[in-house]
């Protein structure tokens, strides 16, 4: 029997494999034997007919793919790197990668090619949370763990749907509810999570800041704030107070679309419960004011002192299995490595550690900024690794046109049916979950080891190995002489000593020991040394709803929001294959409120056109009261969804505003 960890979502459940089947690991503290349908399907997705098993090259998008050995594509890539200005090279990584893959790709790009244009699809997922935590608490650090639910009295879930997206975490919420914890869900959709909440608030899309400011104002008015905590541990209270007091309460409430009675029930719950956790994901992060929405949540915890004690705090839930590991390694273009930036001291430290003089002090291009660079003809080479930007970046027509301008697009993937494959010149087959080993960090800083369960498919390579080969062919053999993920982990672990005050204490972990016992980094942080800011105090930031998102109008009177659905994963390259076993939900549909459907003459099952300023999609309608009036919902498993979405970005996190798209709906075919 082999113990491993699920590679689907940020919960990171422990699994047991006995050659025939995969089951939950009873001894693993995160899930204690419980797994969801995605977790148990991992085994089935390893050998699907859609696996990419050989390297392929072609001259242009219209030519046929040619099956080749590894030598040719690697030489083509290396020659292209040698001929290109490093600033015209981009590497786009994924929260699906293991930490060792991330580490080698980041070291190659930032340390040796000399481009900081190394970003990750986590940019689309929780970049706003990263910046929010840094601005408020001084560090990209999640100060809550899942086990805190056992001490929590009130869980506020805003812009998240764990019952469908983080299933085993949702089970833990239900367990905690049995012990008396109350749950509030704030969401424009009545989701499966809302169904078990004690209070559901059907907020209007885009009104989160208004709601959170209203709560802050009320806490201050009722003197329900922690003066001592504010005095000892928080900067900026006086300025915050002056500004928040000027916010118009009645207008704020009106914008939320909630009634006064609903708001009062919420406040009563807030006052009656001692320990409070707020949890959120894409509903807040994927916004033109995503960072501000994070800060508005964190403000409530700073005002009340409900942070850094058991059962309290702001808890950003990460979507992907190793989004956190990528953040730690430096997989975001806005960080260099181990939470260090591009200041002179950090560059010196990292240069000395990697023995290189090639690190640029220019902050890298984030995902969508690479698209903008491509539009200007300033991207010669893009290496995509284990992700599908043509599918998931917003405003797809624009992204496709930009890709056509890139000289060379390389796709490293375990599956062949990505949307990005249509725009690639080279495809390299990588090992999927179960054929490789390495470490990953889940959403509450738990570092675990994924194990190799079977031999790898003949012509596939681990992602770290592909970047190692490129590094060697570029002439950096001594910096890239890895034979095994353990060597990479050990190098990375040493590097974590460079982190500020050694806060990223992976240097205390042991690769082999992770097989038996996960390691949780930063357990004592904040509690012992205060926040990681110069004066060890957190910062309140006054936030207001600047209403920068797209707004509805006569032509596009609906607000289109997006989200995940149960048992499916992103682009469905894996889960789509086993969907016959997971058939309780369709992959593609549009939800419309029943009163809107009546006005539009739409019935469930009708084929409708959904239109935005960017494109039109034909979809099957689902008429339901689970969605607010004047709001439409399409799941992200609809492969063409981003022909509709806006490319507005948060100006700090560069995360797209996927959840506010002005749209129209029109019936095409009746059923
Ligand atoms: Fe895997 Fe997430 Fe399901 Fe756990 S909850 S089994 S980590 S997909």
């Amino acid at each position: 029997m082999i113990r491993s960890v699920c590679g689907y979502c940020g919960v990171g459940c422990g699994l047991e494999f006995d050659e025939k089947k995969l089951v939950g690991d009873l001894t693993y503290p995160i899930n204690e034997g419980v797994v969801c349908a995605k977790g148990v399907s991992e085994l089935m997705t390893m050998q699907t007919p859609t696996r990419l098993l050989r390297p392929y090259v072609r001259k242009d998008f219209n030519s046929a793919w040619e099956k080749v050995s590894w030598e040719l594509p690697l030489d083509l890539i290396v020659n292209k790197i040698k001929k290109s200005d490093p600033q015209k090279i981009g590497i786009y990584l994924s929260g699906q990668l293991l930490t060792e893959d991330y580490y080698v790709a980041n070291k190659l790009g930032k340390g040796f090619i000399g481009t900081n244009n190394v970003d990750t699809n986590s940019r689309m997922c929780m970049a706003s949370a990263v910046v929010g935590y840094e601005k408020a608490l001084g560090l990209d650090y999640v100060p809550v763990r899942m086990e805190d639910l056992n001490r929590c009295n009130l869980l506020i879930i805003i812009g998240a749907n764990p019952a469908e997206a983080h299933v085993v975490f949702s089970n833990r919420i239900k367990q905690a509810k049995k012990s008396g914890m109350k749950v509030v869900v704030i969401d424009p959709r009545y989701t499966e999570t809302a169904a078990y909440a004690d209070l559901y608030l059907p907020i209007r899309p885009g009104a989160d800041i208004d709601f959170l400011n209203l709560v802050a104002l009320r806490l201050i008015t009722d003197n329900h704030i922690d003066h001592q905590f504010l005095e000892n541990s928080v900067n900026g209270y006086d300025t915050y107070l002056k500004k928040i007091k000027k916010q118009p309460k009645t207008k704020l409430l009106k914008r939320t679309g909630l009634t006064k009675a609903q708001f009062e029930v919420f406040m009563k719950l807030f006052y009656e419960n001692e320990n409070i956790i707020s949890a959120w994901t894409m509903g807040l992060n994927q916004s033109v004011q995503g960072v501000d929405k994070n800060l508005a949540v964190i403000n409530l915890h700073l005002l009340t002192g409900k942070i850094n004690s058991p059962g309290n705090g702001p808890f950003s839930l990460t979507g992907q299995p190793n989004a956190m590991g990528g953040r730690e390694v430096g997989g975001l273009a806005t960080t260099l490595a181990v939470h260090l930036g591009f200041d002179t001291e950090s560059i010196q430290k990292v240069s000395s550690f990697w023995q290189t003089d090639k690190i640029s002090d220019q902050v890298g291009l984030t995902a969508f900024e690479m698209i903008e660079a491509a539009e200007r003809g300033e991207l010669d080479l893009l290496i995509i690794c284990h992700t599908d930007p043509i599918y998931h970046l917003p405003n797809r027509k624009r992204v496709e046109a930009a890709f056509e301008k890139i000289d060379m697009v390389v796709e490293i993937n375990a599956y062949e049916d990505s949307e990005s494959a249509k725009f690639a010149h080279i495809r390299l087959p990588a090992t999927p979950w179960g054929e490789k080993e390495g470490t990953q960090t889940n959403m509450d800083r738990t570092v675990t080891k994924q194990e190799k369960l079977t031999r790898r498919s003949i012509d596939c390579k681990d992602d770290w190995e592909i970047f190692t080969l490129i590094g060697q062919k570029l002439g950096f053999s001594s910096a890239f002489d890895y034979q095994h993920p353990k060597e990479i982990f050990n190098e990375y672990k040493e590097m974590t000593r460079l982190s500020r005050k050694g806060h990223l204490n992976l240097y205390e972990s042991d690769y082999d020991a992770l097989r038996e016992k996960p390691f949780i980094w930063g357990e004592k942080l904040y509690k012992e040394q205060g926040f990681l800011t110069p004066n060890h105090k957190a910062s309140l930031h006054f936030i207001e709803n600047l209403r920068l998102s797209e707004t509805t109008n006569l032509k596009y009177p609906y607000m289109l929001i997006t989200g995940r659905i149960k048992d499916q994963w992103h682009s469905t390259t894996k889960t789509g294959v086993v969907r016959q076993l997971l058939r309780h939900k369709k992959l593609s549909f549009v939800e419309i409120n029943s009163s809107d459907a009546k006005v539009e003459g739409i019935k469930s099952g009708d084929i409708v056109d959904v239109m935005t300023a960017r494109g039109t999609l034909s979809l099957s309608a689902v008429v339901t009261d689970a969605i607010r009036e004047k709001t439409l919902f399409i799941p992200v498993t609809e492969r063409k969804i981003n022909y509709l979405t806006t490319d507005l970005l948060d100006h700090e996190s560069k995360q797209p505003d996927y959840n506010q798209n002005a749209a129209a709906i029109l019936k095409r075919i009746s059923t």
Side-chain angles (χ1 to χ4, degrees), residues 6-13 15 34-39 165-169:
C6 178
Y8 268 117
C9 91
V11 180
C13 296
L15 300 171
V34 181
V35 279
C36 76
K38 288 200 293 276
H166 296 92
V167 178
V168 172
F169 177 60

Side-chain angles (χ1 to χ4, degrees), residues 56-312:
Y56 289 89
V57 297
R58 63 177 174 181
K59 276 201 179 64
D60 55 54
F61 303 152
N62 299 318
S63 310
W65 286 107
E66 194 187 332
K67 202 188 289 179
V68 292
S69 69
W70 275 88
E71 210 55 25
L72 175 68
L74 289 177
D75 285 343
L76 289 171
I77 295 165
V78 166
N79 288 339
K80 189 72 189 164
I81 292 172
K82 283 180 177 166
K83 280 189 208 147
S84 296
D85 172 350
Q87 304 316 317
K88 292 188 173 183
I89 297 171
I91 301 178
Y92 190 47
L93 305 172
S94 163
Q96 299 284 298
L97 293 174
L98 294 173
T99 297
E100 293 70 22
D101 301 321
Y102 254 124
Y103 179 83
V104 179
N106 195 50
K107 180 179 177 183
L108 178 69
K110 293 177 185 164
F112 288 83
I113 294 176
T115 176
N116 291 326
N117 306 336
V118 179
D119 209 34
T120 158
N121 62 9
S122 303
R123 176 74 51 196
M124 308 302 133
C125 169
M126 45 61 202
S128 298
V130 171
V131 181
Y133 280 133
E134 282 170 349
K135 284 181 80 171
L137 311 180
L139 183 71
D140 173 20
Y141 172 80
V142 179
V144 184
R145 302 215 41 247
M146 277 186 259
E147 65 188 30
D148 277 303
L149 286 181
N150 304 336
R151 301 284 293 274
C152 173
N153 308 116
L154 175 66
L155 176 66
I156 302 168
I157 302 173
I158 178 164
N161 180 12
E164 298 196 65
H166 296 92
V167 178
V168 172
F169 177 60
S170 175
N171 285 353
R172 290 186 71 149
I173 296 172
K174 287 187 200 161
Q175 284 299 326
K177 257 182 83 58
K178 282 184 193 158
S179 308
M181 185 183 78
K182 302 284 183 215
V183 175
V184 177
V185 169
I186 306 168
D187 198 311
R189 271 181 91 221
Y190 185 79
T191 59
E192 284 193 24
T193 313
Y196 64 68
D198 298 278
L199 173 66
Y200 166 59
L201 298 178
I203 196 167
R204 194 175 277 148
D208 313 276
I209 292 173
D210 301 314
F211 176 80
L212 295 162
N213 275 353
L214 202 56
V215 177
L217 261 171
R218 181 61 173 274
L219 292 170
I220 291 165
T221 310
D222 290 354
N223 199 20
H224 197 89
I225 55 177
D226 187 334
H227 291 279
Q228 198 179 355
F229 183 78
L230 286 166
E231 176 73 27
N232 296 339
S233 307
V234 180
N235 295 313
Y237 177 59
D238 292 343
T239 313
Y240 175 83
L241 189 61
K242 266 187 219 147
K243 291 184 176 172
I244 191 88
K245 277 191 165 172
K246 290 186 188 149
Q247 287 284 292
K249 288 183 201 165
T250 313
K251 208 174 187 180
L252 293 185
L253 182 64
K254 201 170 165 211
R255 283 196 207 147
T256 64
L258 303 172
T259 63
K260 184 150 190 338
Q262 286 171 316
F263 183 70
E264 290 305 327
V265 179
F266 174 84
M267 289 312 302
K268 190 165 180 287
L269 278 171
F270 201 105
Y271 287 162
E272 283 174 356
N273 290 288
E274 182 58 28
N275 296 336
I276 299 180
I277 293 175
S278 311
W280 69 96
T281 60
M282 307 314 148
L284 298 195
N285 291 343
Q286 292 178 336
S287 163
V288 71
Q289 272 191 279
V291 173
D292 287 350
K293 287 178 182 177
N294 275 263
L295 290 170
V297 174
I298 296 170
N299 282 348
L300 300 185
H301 290 273
L302 297 181
L303 287 168
T304 54
K306 293 184 189 299
I307 187 167
N308 293 350
S309 54
N312 286 295

Side-chain angles (χ1 to χ4, degrees), residues 429-652:
T431 45
W433 184 94
E435 289 189 14
K436 60 180 179 180
E437 68 168 80
T439 60
Q440 65 183 49
T441 311
N442 80 344
M443 66 187 184
D444 73 356
R445 291 177 276 111
T446 306
V447 183
T448 326
K449 194 153 165 272
Q450 248 187 41
E451 297 296 341
K452 191 170 169 175
L453 307 182
T454 63
R455 66 170 175 79
R456 71 182 181 192
S457 302
I458 289 171
D459 230 1
C460 296
K461 294 189 190 299
D462 294 355
D463 302 271
W464 65 263
E465 200 179 352
I466 298 169
F467 288 108
T468 293
L469 286 170
I470 295 172
Q472 288 172 354
K473 279 181 175 280
L474 281 168
F476 308 121
S477 297
S478 60
F480 295 90
D481 63 349
Y482 311 111
Q483 306 297 320
H484 191 275
K486 182 176 174 177
E487 294 164 19
I488 303 165
F489 181 84
N490 285 340
E491 183 179 310
Y492 166 56
K493 158 180 144 164
E494 273 312 296
M495 191 183 206
T496 59
R497 292 183 194 278
L498 306 184
S499 62
R500 286 153 60 197
K501 297 187 181 164
H503 71 269
L504 189 56
N505 60 329
L506 267 88
Y507 48 83
E508 291 173 8
S509 67
D510 179 88
Y511 186 81
D512 294 323
L514 287 173
R515 188 190 301 265
E516 296 305 324
K517 195 169 180 291
F519 179 82
I520 299 135
W521 72 265
E523 268 302 73
K524 293 177 193 149
L525 209 72
Y526 294 171
K527 287 162 196 148
E528 284 189 355
Q529 39 180 304
F531 296 101
L532 232 69
T533 54
N535 68 356
H536 303 291
K537 290 184 177 185
S539 301
L540 275 168
H541 291 262
F542 169 71
I543 300 301
E544 61 185 328
N545 188 352
L546 300 174
R547 309 178 90 188
L548 303 173
S549 292
E550 219 169 53
T551 50
T552 55
N553 52 47
L554 280 177
K555 190 173 178 192
Y556 299 114
Y558 292 88
M559 189 52 75
L560 167 65
I561 62 173
T562 64
R564 292 252 304 271
I565 53 172
K566 201 170 188 174
D567 297 339
Q568 299 298 339
W569 183 248
H570 289 182
S571 61
T572 70
T573 46
K574 289 172 75 174
T575 51
V577 178
V578 290
R579 69 173 176 264
Q580 59 273 30
L581 300 170
L582 312 167
R583 63 185 157 214
H584 63 280
K585 284 220 169 168
K586 288 191 291 184
L587 296 177
S588 174
F589 55 85
V590 55
E591 283 182 0
I592 180 169
N593 182 275
S594 58
S595 58
D596 294 327
K598 202 168 171 187
V599 173
E600 304 286 349
I602 293 169
K603 300 188 303 303
S604 274
D606 285 351
I607 301 301
V608 295
D609 278 349
V610 179
M611 293 148 287
T612 69
R614 293 154 293 278
T616 301
L617 279 190
S618 289
L619 297 158
S620 170
V622 173
V623 176
T624 171
D625 287 330
I627 186 108
R628 272 190 72 93
E629 286 178 24
K630 290 291 170 198
T631 309
L632 305 173
F633 170 82
I634 301 177
V636 293
T637 38
E638 162 50 56
R639 282 199 155 212
K640 296 194 173 92
I641 188 168
N642 285 309
Y643 282 118
L644 299 181
T645 52
T646 168
D647 53 27
L648 284 172
L649 307 178
D650 181 290
H651 77 283
E652 291 176 289

